[in-house]
PDB file of all heavy atoms in Angstrom:
ATOM      1  N   ASP A  41     107.346  98.392 118.145  1.00  0.00           N
ATOM      2  CA  ASP A  41     106.830  97.005 118.349  1.00  0.00           C
ATOM      3  C   ASP A  41     107.619  96.025 117.515  1.00  0.00           C
ATOM      4  O   ASP A  41     107.966  94.940 117.990  1.00  0.00           O
ATOM      5  CB  ASP A  41     105.352  96.944 118.007  1.00  0.00           C
ATOM      6  CG  ASP A  41     104.494  97.630 119.100  1.00  0.00           C
ATOM      7  OD1 ASP A  41     105.034  97.958 120.178  1.00  0.00           O
ATOM      8  OD2 ASP A  41     103.292  97.744 118.887  1.00  0.00           O
ATOM      9  N   ALA A  42     107.902  96.418 116.280  1.00  0.00           N
ATOM     10  CA  ALA A  42     108.615  95.494 115.351  1.00  0.00           C
ATOM     11  C   ALA A  42     110.038  95.280 115.905  1.00  0.00           C
ATOM     12  O   ALA A  42     110.518  94.153 115.966  1.00  0.00           O
ATOM     13  CB  ALA A  42     108.686  96.141 113.979  1.00  0.00           C
ATOM     14  N   ALA A  43     110.698  96.358 116.315  1.00  0.00           N
ATOM     15  CA  ALA A  43     112.042  96.248 116.861  1.00  0.00           C
ATOM     16  C   ALA A  43     112.030  95.386 118.129  1.00  0.00           C
ATOM     17  O   ALA A  43     112.929  94.583 118.379  1.00  0.00           O
ATOM     18  CB  ALA A  43     112.595  97.611 117.149  1.00  0.00           C
ATOM     19  N   HIS A  44     110.992  95.559 118.936  1.00  0.00           N
ATOM     20  CA  HIS A  44     110.818  94.827 120.184  1.00  0.00           C
ATOM     21  C   HIS A  44     110.711  93.326 119.913  1.00  0.00           C
ATOM     22  O   HIS A  44     111.341  92.484 120.554  1.00  0.00           O
ATOM     23  CB  HIS A  44     109.546  95.331 120.822  1.00  0.00           C
ATOM     24  CG  HIS A  44     109.559  95.172 122.323  1.00  0.00           C
ATOM     25  ND1 HIS A  44     108.743  95.873 123.141  1.00  0.00           N
ATOM     26  CD2 HIS A  44     110.295  94.367 123.115  1.00  0.00           C
ATOM     27  CE1 HIS A  44     108.978  95.501 124.397  1.00  0.00           C
ATOM     28  NE2 HIS A  44     109.894  94.572 124.416  1.00  0.00           N
ATOM     29  N   ASP A  45     109.871  93.008 118.891  1.00  0.00           N
ATOM     30  CA  ASP A  45     109.709  91.615 118.501  1.00  0.00           C
ATOM     31  C   ASP A  45     111.005  91.012 118.038  1.00  0.00           C
ATOM     32  O   ASP A  45     111.338  89.870 118.367  1.00  0.00           O
ATOM     33  CB  ASP A  45     108.637  91.488 117.388  1.00  0.00           C
ATOM     34  CG  ASP A  45     107.238  91.704 117.937  1.00  0.00           C
ATOM     35  OD1 ASP A  45     107.101  91.780 119.154  1.00  0.00           O
ATOM     36  OD2 ASP A  45     106.314  91.865 117.078  1.00  0.00           O
ATOM     37  N   VAL A  46     111.766  91.748 117.274  1.00  0.00           N
ATOM     38  CA  VAL A  46     113.057  91.254 116.752  1.00  0.00           C
ATOM     39  C   VAL A  46     114.019  91.033 117.928  1.00  0.00           C
ATOM     40  O   VAL A  46     114.723  90.012 117.980  1.00  0.00           O
ATOM     41  CB  VAL A  46     113.663  92.268 115.739  1.00  0.00           C
ATOM     42  CG1 VAL A  46     115.112  91.907 115.421  1.00  0.00           C
ATOM     43  CG2 VAL A  46     112.783  92.337 114.472  1.00  0.00           C
ATOM     44  N   ARG A  47     114.049  91.942 118.881  1.00  0.00           N
ATOM     45  CA  ARG A  47     114.928  91.781 120.076  1.00  0.00           C
ATOM     46  C   ARG A  47     114.576  90.494 120.802  1.00  0.00           C
ATOM     47  O   ARG A  47     115.463  89.719 121.133  1.00  0.00           O
ATOM     48  CB  ARG A  47     114.766  92.977 121.008  1.00  0.00           C
ATOM     49  CG  ARG A  47     115.656  94.150 120.651  1.00  0.00           C
ATOM     50  CD  ARG A  47     115.903  95.034 121.837  1.00  0.00           C
ATOM     51  NE  ARG A  47     114.659  95.671 122.298  1.00  0.00           N
ATOM     52  CZ  ARG A  47     114.265  96.871 121.958  1.00  0.00           C
ATOM     53  NH1 ARG A  47     114.997  97.597 121.156  1.00  0.00           N
ATOM     54  NH2 ARG A  47     113.149  97.354 122.403  1.00  0.00           N
ATOM     55  N   HIS A  48     113.269  90.262 121.035  1.00  0.00           N
ATOM     56  CA  HIS A  48     112.888  89.060 121.761  1.00  0.00           C
ATOM     57  C   HIS A  48     113.166  87.787 120.942  1.00  0.00           C
ATOM     58  O   HIS A  48     113.585  86.808 121.487  1.00  0.00           O
ATOM     59  CB  HIS A  48     111.393  89.144 122.115  1.00  0.00           C
ATOM     60  CG  HIS A  48     111.129  90.004 123.314  1.00  0.00           C
ATOM     61  ND1 HIS A  48     110.957  89.497 124.589  1.00  0.00           N
ATOM     62  CD2 HIS A  48     111.089  91.334 123.441  1.00  0.00           C
ATOM     63  CE1 HIS A  48     110.781  90.497 125.400  1.00  0.00           C
ATOM     64  NE2 HIS A  48     110.868  91.605 124.771  1.00  0.00           N
ATOM     65  N   ALA A  49     112.935  87.871 119.599  1.00  0.00           N
ATOM     66  CA  ALA A  49     113.108  86.716 118.728  1.00  0.00           C
ATOM     67  C   ALA A  49     114.590  86.356 118.699  1.00  0.00           C
ATOM     68  O   ALA A  49     114.932  85.149 118.627  1.00  0.00           O
ATOM     69  CB  ALA A  49     112.599  87.057 117.342  1.00  0.00           C
ATOM     70  N   THR A  50     115.472  87.346 118.758  1.00  0.00           N
ATOM     71  CA  THR A  50     116.907  87.038 118.690  1.00  0.00           C
ATOM     72  C   THR A  50     117.511  86.789 120.054  1.00  0.00           C
ATOM     73  O   THR A  50     118.685  86.578 120.159  1.00  0.00           O
ATOM     74  CB  THR A  50     117.670  88.169 117.973  1.00  0.00           C
ATOM     75  OG1 THR A  50     117.347  89.392 118.663  1.00  0.00           O
ATOM     76  CG2 THR A  50     117.238  88.298 116.521  1.00  0.00           C
ATOM     77  N   GLY A  51     116.690  86.872 121.128  1.00  0.00           N
ATOM     78  CA  GLY A  51     117.197  86.650 122.464  1.00  0.00           C
ATOM     79  C   GLY A  51     118.018  87.819 122.997  1.00  0.00           C
ATOM     80  O   GLY A  51     118.786  87.657 123.958  1.00  0.00           O
ATOM     81  N   PHE A  52     117.949  88.984 122.342  1.00  0.00           N
ATOM     82  CA  PHE A  52     118.650  90.149 122.781  1.00  0.00           C
ATOM     83  C   PHE A  52     118.040  90.644 124.101  1.00  0.00           C
ATOM     84  O   PHE A  52     116.842  90.752 124.217  1.00  0.00           O
ATOM     85  CB  PHE A  52     118.600  91.219 121.697  1.00  0.00           C
ATOM     86  CG  PHE A  52     119.547  92.362 121.881  1.00  0.00           C
ATOM     87  CD1 PHE A  52     120.891  92.202 121.479  1.00  0.00           C
ATOM     88  CD2 PHE A  52     119.161  93.539 122.476  1.00  0.00           C
ATOM     89  CE1 PHE A  52     121.778  93.237 121.635  1.00  0.00           C
ATOM     90  CE2 PHE A  52     120.067  94.585 122.620  1.00  0.00           C
ATOM     91  CZ  PHE A  52     121.376  94.438 122.203  1.00  0.00           C
ATOM     92  N   PRO A  53     118.855  90.927 125.145  1.00  0.00           N
ATOM     93  CA  PRO A  53     118.285  91.413 126.403  1.00  0.00           C
ATOM     94  C   PRO A  53     117.462  92.686 126.208  1.00  0.00           C
ATOM     95  O   PRO A  53     117.966  93.602 125.560  1.00  0.00           O
ATOM     96  CB  PRO A  53     119.497  91.703 127.259  1.00  0.00           C
ATOM     97  CG  PRO A  53     120.679  91.628 126.404  1.00  0.00           C
ATOM     98  CD  PRO A  53     120.314  90.833 125.185  1.00  0.00           C
ATOM     99  N   CYS A  54     116.272  92.660 126.728  1.00  0.00           N
ATOM    100  CA  CYS A  54     115.361  93.784 126.464  1.00  0.00           C
ATOM    101  C   CYS A  54     114.839  94.380 127.766  1.00  0.00           C
ATOM    102  O   CYS A  54     115.137  95.466 128.104  1.00  0.00           O
ATOM    103  CB  CYS A  54     114.239  93.323 125.558  1.00  0.00           C
ATOM    104  SG  CYS A  54     113.028  94.572 125.204  1.00  0.00           S
ATOM    105  N   HIS A  55     114.065  93.548 128.484  1.00  0.00           N
ATOM    106  CA  HIS A  55     113.478  94.076 129.750  1.00  0.00           C
ATOM    107  C   HIS A  55     113.189  92.915 130.680  1.00  0.00           C
ATOM    108  O   HIS A  55     113.347  91.768 130.359  1.00  0.00           O
ATOM    109  CB  HIS A  55     112.235  94.923 129.507  1.00  0.00           C
ATOM    110  CG  HIS A  55     111.157  94.219 128.709  1.00  0.00           C
ATOM    111  ND1 HIS A  55     110.149  93.512 129.305  1.00  0.00           N
ATOM    112  CD2 HIS A  55     110.982  94.101 127.374  1.00  0.00           C
ATOM    113  CE1 HIS A  55     109.362  93.036 128.387  1.00  0.00           C
ATOM    114  NE2 HIS A  55     109.849  93.343 127.217  1.00  0.00           N
TER     115      HIS A  55
END
Side-chain angles (χ1 to χ4, degrees):
D41 286 351
H44 206 160
D45 287 348
V46 169
R47 274 202 297 264
H48 280 261
T50 55
F52 194 82
C54 178
H55 55 92

